[in-house]
Amino acid sequence: MNALFKALNDPTRREILELLKEKDLTAGEIADQFNISKPSISHHLDLLRQAGLVVSVKDGQFISYSLNTTVMDEILKWIISLQSPKQ
């Protein structure tokens, strides 16, 4: 759970998730959307993958990233369960 919140704590990683909400992207396509180095983007993607928020698939020399909606669903269920019942 700590890796998950660490991954969500960074605005760049949240923006990457927003991009992936629209469609699957390669690491290069994601990097093109930011004004930071490709190794930095790679680090962000690695943290998102470790947290289970994205999945990656290697296709030849490219790695394609997509949202892991299963983890997102579990997070939402957990957050909703924290709400106390209204009286």
Side-chain angles (χ1 to χ4, degrees), residues 19-62:
L19 290 170
L20 293 174
K21 182 174 69 172
E22 301 300 320
K23 64 179 179 175
D24 297 353
L25 297 168
T26 66
E29 291 170 327
I30 293 168
D32 289 343
Q33 302 297 313
F34 296 90
N35 194 21
I36 58 178
S37 70
K38 289 187 180 187
S40 291
I41 290 295
S42 186
H43 175 72
H44 287 299
L45 289 168
D46 188 49
L47 289 174
L48 289 169
R49 208 168 4 96
Q50 288 177 27
L53 292 168
V54 300
V55 292
S56 60
V57 176
K58 188 163 181 148
D59 184 19
Q61 65 181 5
F62 299 102

